[in-house]
Amino acid sequence: MNPDQPESFAEVLTAAIQGRGLSLERIRARLDAAGVPVSIATLSYWQSGRSLPTRSRSYHTLVELERILNLEPGHLTQHTHTADGRTRRELFEWQNVMPSRDLATQIIEDLGIDMQGQLTRVTMHDLLEVDADRKESSLEVRVVWRAERQGLHRWAVVNEQDTDTDGEQSIEPLFGCVLGEVVEAPDRKLLVAEMLAPRPMQRGDLFTSEYRLTFGPSNQPSFRMLRAISDPVKALSLAVRFDPSAVPTNVRAGVQPSLEEEEPADTVPVELARNEAQYVWTDARPGVYSLFWDWD
């Protein structure tokens, strides 16, 4: 560390945890007992510098952390601000793989949805339907979740339609979830929807949710489907079903680190079974996964 630069929050927290000799699990248990529950994932994010406890409710957590770690009052909270006193807004890793990330992030924050440390995707399956005009018509998404904290969980569905359209997209819960507030930005072809679990969950509970996105009429033929993930997923499946009268000449699968890139550098061929194609990744790491296809 450069002695001329102030210590970061992550460095201060890591040093305090090491000095106290406590595991993250023991810290989590003590915070939970004190009435300020925080997941191990969130503590790990803070310790690694992937995120900062900048939300107002995090202040009480930091005060309790200072007590647990035998620190002077304010020792942690002072490091969540820059030298000019402004709260630091570090870019979370999940934002790097989010469509229209600045606008989507603002909408998610306005909805009060915490994207970190609440739920973990265990498996995920996307099925895209492409009609006879070679246009995207709908996307069905099925996710197996694991609850990382006790309570009624919410999550955000973010979708940016890939092709130009004159219509609006819509979202419909199919199983294991309840639709909350929906915010649309038609000029950005962006939809952000609040989804709620069907019941309060205990930590470690597994449950399945399924929903369908229906797209507005498109002005261009479909040529790809994308799925961005910010955390590891045990099994990630992308599938596309084409109308039997409009089947592409080939389909390819690929992975790229972020949405900034137009197309993966390396792709692998995917076999077409009549009018269907699918590719499954196991132990998928954070990134953007895709299927691409070519027409005549």
Side-chain angles (χ1 to χ4, degrees):
M1 183 182 68
N2 187 339
D4 296 328
Q5 294 180 344
E7 292 180 300
S8 69
F9 175 83
E11 291 169 335
V12 172
L13 178 61
T14 298
I17 291 174
Q18 292 175 347
R20 190 74 170 87
L22 295 176
S23 67
L24 293 185
E25 174 57 36
R26 290 184 65 187
I27 293 173
R28 184 208 63 77
R30 294 191 183 188
L31 288 171
D32 190 69
V36 283
V38 174
S39 70
I40 290 180
T42 296
L43 290 172
S44 179
Y45 289 160
W46 292 353
Q47 192 176 9
S48 66
R50 287 176 62 184
S51 68
L52 279 171
T54 54
R55 293 181 179 274
S56 58
R57 63 175 177 268
S58 298
Y59 176 80
H60 301 290
T61 304
L62 293 182
V63 171
E64 190 60 28
L65 259 179
E66 289 169 347
R67 188 189 66 79
I68 292 171
L69 298 175
N70 291 339
L71 300 174
E72 291 292 326
H75 187 76
L76 290 177
T77 55
Q78 67 178 334
H79 288 281
T80 62
H81 294 75
T82 57
D84 62 2
R86 293 177 300 169
T87 301
R88 295 175 61 188
R89 305 294 293 180
E90 291 190 347
L91 188 66
F92 299 138
E93 181 174 327
W94 57 264
Q95 291 172 309
N96 292 327
V97 295
M98 178 177 288
S100 298
R101 65 187 186 191
D102 293 336
L103 178 57
T105 299
Q106 183 60 56
I107 294 172
I108 290 169
E109 290 184 352
D110 290 345
L111 291 174
I113 299 174
D114 188 351
M115 296 283 285
Q116 298 191 59
Q118 305 290 324
L119 294 167
T120 296
R121 292 180 179 91
V122 181
T123 66
M124 192 166 196
H125 173 70
D126 288 359
L127 173 60
L128 178 69
E129 299 279 356
V130 179
D131 63 22
D133 294 324
R134 303 179 176 181
K135 311 293 177 60
E136 300 173 355
S137 59
S138 66
L139 174 70
E140 291 191 8
V141 180
R142 182 184 301 113
V143 183
V144 174
W145 299 94
R146 181 176 64 246
E148 303 298 347
R149 290 177 60 177
Q150 179 179 341
L152 181 60
H153 292 288
R154 303 185 301 153
W155 65 94
V157 174
V158 180
N159 191 74
E160 183 177 23
Q161 194 162 346
D162 208 22
T163 56
D164 289 337
T165 177
D166 295 326
E168 296 182 357
Q169 53 186 317
S170 61
I171 185 168
E172 172 190 6
L174 300 177
F175 181 85
C177 55
V178 179
L179 183 63
E181 190 170 352
V182 178
V183 179
E184 295 184 70
D187 57 325
R188 300 279 287 274
K189 299 173 291 182
L190 180 70
L191 177 146
V192 179
E194 174 192 24
M195 283 291 188
L196 297 89
R199 60 176 177 83
M201 298 291 169
Q202 298 296 316
R203 185 171 175 231
D205 280 355
L206 297 171
F207 68 98
T208 300
S209 68
E210 187 173 357
Y211 61 87
R212 179 190 296 119
L213 285 158
T214 302
F215 304 120
S218 174
N219 301 321
Q220 300 174 355
S222 175
F223 68 98
R224 68 178 180 181
M225 65 181 299
L226 301 175
R227 167 56 63 187
I229 59 172
S230 58
D231 294 296
V233 175
K234 285 292 184 182
L236 173 64
S237 168
L238 296 188
V240 55
R241 180 186 293 128
F242 302 97
D243 187 275
S245 65
V247 178
T249 57
N250 64 80
V251 180
R252 309 176 310 281
V255 184
Q256 58 205 72
S258 73
L259 289 167
E260 301 299 326
E261 301 178 18
E262 286 295 322
E263 188 170 339
D266 299 309
T267 60
V268 296
V270 177
E271 183 177 355
L272 268 164
R274 297 183 300 277
N275 62 321
E276 299 175 342
Q278 66 171 320
Y279 197 86
V280 180
W281 291 266
T282 57
D283 296 319
R285 308 301 299 173
V288 180
Y289 294 75
S290 56
L291 293 182
F292 288 82
W293 47 88
D294 296 312
W295 303 102
D296 294 333

